[in-house]
Amino acid sequence: MDVIVLGGGLMGTASAYFLARRGARVTLVERNRIGTGATVASFGNIRRTGRHLAQLPLAHRSLRLWGEAEKMLGRDVEFRASGHIRLIFDQGGLADMRAYAEAARPWGLELEELSPREIRSRFPGLGPDAIAASFSPHDGSGNPRLIAPAYAEAACKLGAEIVEGVEVETIRCTGSSFVVTSSKGAFTAECLLNTAGAWGARIAAQFGEEVPLEARGPQMGVTEPLPHRVLPVVGIWTRDKDYGAYLRQVERGNIIFGGAAERVPVDLDPGHAVADPMRLPAQLRAVARLLPAIAQVAVIRTWSGCEGYVRDMLPVMGRSATTPGLFHAFGFSGHGFQLGPGVGDAMAELIMTDQCETPLDDFRIDRFRRAA
């Protein structure tokens, strides 16, 4: 089977790899460079905590693949199962955590509740004012700059064609195939997989499928290197978006942080947000609540990107509701990094076998039409 994959972020490159591994002839088309969209703007969080329950089967599938990534791809993508801790500073956050932990248990996610004493003894320096925390020991982080190129390279070794710097001009369905004309020629295949991220809704609309999606850019930053002491990824349970910060420390010592800053609207042409230095002081105050020592550290770089946010914060994933042979996997609403390998594996299974062991019904593209 021939498949064209539109979009070269983590979703697209992972899909290309798993499709090629199942024997498909794959052409991946990317408008810029591999992994330079939402993937490279990502924080690198590999977490299941706090996900919509319907996403947990996909998240479990993906976590297994993250654990196999280095052996499978032949490259260290810096996946570290160092755990994921979410600090709690008020009773509302504690109630939310306990309710989520109870709801997630039947879905296969076990969260450990930590007392203030346990936080101080196991994770010194984190959240000195925290009244509790949740801990998921098998989650962790990965390097957003390495993962998509690693999947693309591995896909190429299996025979996939990766074409970068392509301006797509038209996409046409002939009935039995799809024809994509572009600045680098025409590509034809039996199936088309839309993994175009924030641009995915534009492609879906060409086939009569409307998705309420907004393009927004997060604000991220990184500090100078410090002694490596913070092992888990650190987040927070809070109802106050002004405190919704998160951080992690890489092995080189730098602390990467994000959250607590409004994601700004992005014009899809050219499709890239710019970090706002005026937002940085408030963001750092929120991050310092999690790790007070960061207040004494120099920030060496900030950045943003472009992510696609769907109205209900769930991705669009599965078959087209209007066009046989068309498939979608986009709109991961700022929390798709952990899901990426599982998305690629699941979409390859669906396209090649017409079924998928992971339930995808909640992500169907026609859910918006049904809700209207």
Side-chain angles (χ1 to χ4, degrees):
M1 179 181 292
D2 294 299
V3 183
I4 296 171
V5 178
L6 293 179
L10 175 52
M11 307 304 171
T13 55
S15 296
Y17 169 77
F18 287 109
L19 281 163
R21 201 167 79 163
R22 286 178 177 267
R25 294 177 296 274
V26 182
T27 302
L28 184 150
V29 177
E30 164 56 38
R31 69 196 297 264
N32 290 313
R33 302 278 295 179
I34 291 297
T36 56
T39 302
V40 79
S42 170
F43 172 65
N45 196 359
I46 297 175
R47 67 159 177 92
R48 293 167 298 163
T49 304
R51 288 195 174 277
H52 191 288
L53 297 176
Q55 289 187 0
L56 284 177
L58 184 61
H60 296 324
R61 179 175 187 160
S62 199
L63 184 63
R64 174 179 57 81
L65 293 169
W66 275 107
E68 299 170 1
E70 183 172 358
K71 181 179 179 181
M72 185 169 59
L73 303 177
R75 291 175 59 177
D76 179 13
V77 295
E78 297 182 7
F79 168 63
R80 304 291 184 263
S82 54
H84 181 268
I85 185 171
R86 274 196 169 187
L87 299 168
I88 303 166
F89 295 91
D90 54 54
Q91 292 300 320
L94 182 58
D96 290 346
M97 184 277 288
R98 287 175 173 169
Y100 182 82
E102 184 68 22
R105 191 171 294 114
W107 294 78
L109 177 62
E110 293 285 344
L111 294 181
E112 180 183 359
E113 182 177 329
L114 305 182
S115 69
R117 179 177 294 180
E118 289 170 321
I119 297 168
R120 288 193 296 270
S121 64
R122 293 171 60 176
F123 307 106
L126 293 183
D129 299 325
I131 64 171
S134 67
F135 185 61
S136 178
H138 303 296
D139 292 336
S141 62
N143 192 325
R145 295 181 175 275
L146 299 180
I147 187 64
Y151 268 116
E153 181 181 326
C156 286
K157 291 178 179 177
L158 294 175
E161 181 182 8
I162 309 291
V163 189
E164 298 175 285
V166 178
E167 287 295 333
V168 171
E169 296 164 357
T170 63
I171 305 171
R172 185 165 51 91
C173 179
T174 67
S176 59
S177 63
F178 294 86
V179 180
V180 177
T181 59
S182 77
S183 58
K184 293 192 175 181
F187 307 96
T188 304
E190 300 163 63
C191 293
L192 180 70
L193 174 57
N194 170 17
T195 59
W199 291 263
R202 285 185 173 182
I203 294 170
Q206 295 183 43
F207 295 92
E209 300 182 289
E210 298 295 329
V211 175
L213 180 145
E214 291 184 347
R216 293 189 170 272
Q219 177 146 313
M220 311 295 300
V222 63
T223 72
E224 62 184 326
L226 297 170
H228 187 229
R229 295 173 181 165
V230 182
L231 295 179
V233 176
V234 185
I236 184 173
W237 289 97
T238 181
R239 300 173 183 179
D240 187 343
K241 62 183 177 64
D242 291 334
Y243 288 107
Y246 43 85
L247 65 92
R248 66 184 179 94
Q249 188 174 27
V250 301
E251 292 166 3
R252 294 173 291 280
N254 309 79
I255 295 175
I256 301 171
F257 61 88
E262 190 73 23
R263 293 176 173 91
V264 298
V266 182
D267 185 344
L268 288 178
D269 301 303
H272 192 84
V274 177
D276 181 357
M278 299 300 292
R279 297 170 180 262
L280 187 57
Q283 186 176 36
L284 285 172
R285 284 194 294 272
V287 176
R289 196 182 193 197
L290 309 180
L291 181 67
I294 204 170
Q296 309 302 320
V297 181
V299 175
I300 60 175
R301 186 168 70 90
T302 59
W303 68 91
S304 188
C306 183
E307 300 170 331
Y309 287 79
V310 181
R311 183 176 59 204
D312 60 8
M313 296 297 285
L314 290 175
V316 172
M317 191 174 167
R319 298 179 185 85
S320 164
T322 63
T323 311
L326 174 63
F327 298 84
H328 303 289
F330 68 90
F332 288 86
S333 304
H335 51 249
F337 186 74
Q338 191 274 351
L339 299 177
V343 169
D345 193 30
M347 293 308 300
E349 180 189 9
L350 179 63
I351 292 170
M352 298 299 288
T353 71
D354 199 36
Q355 58 187 1
C356 184
E357 66 178 28
T358 300
L360 303 177
D361 279 355
D362 284 348
F363 314 138
R364 289 173 52 171
I365 194 167
D366 63 350
R367 68 183 187 266
F368 309 107
R369 189 173 63 193
R370 296 199 308 267

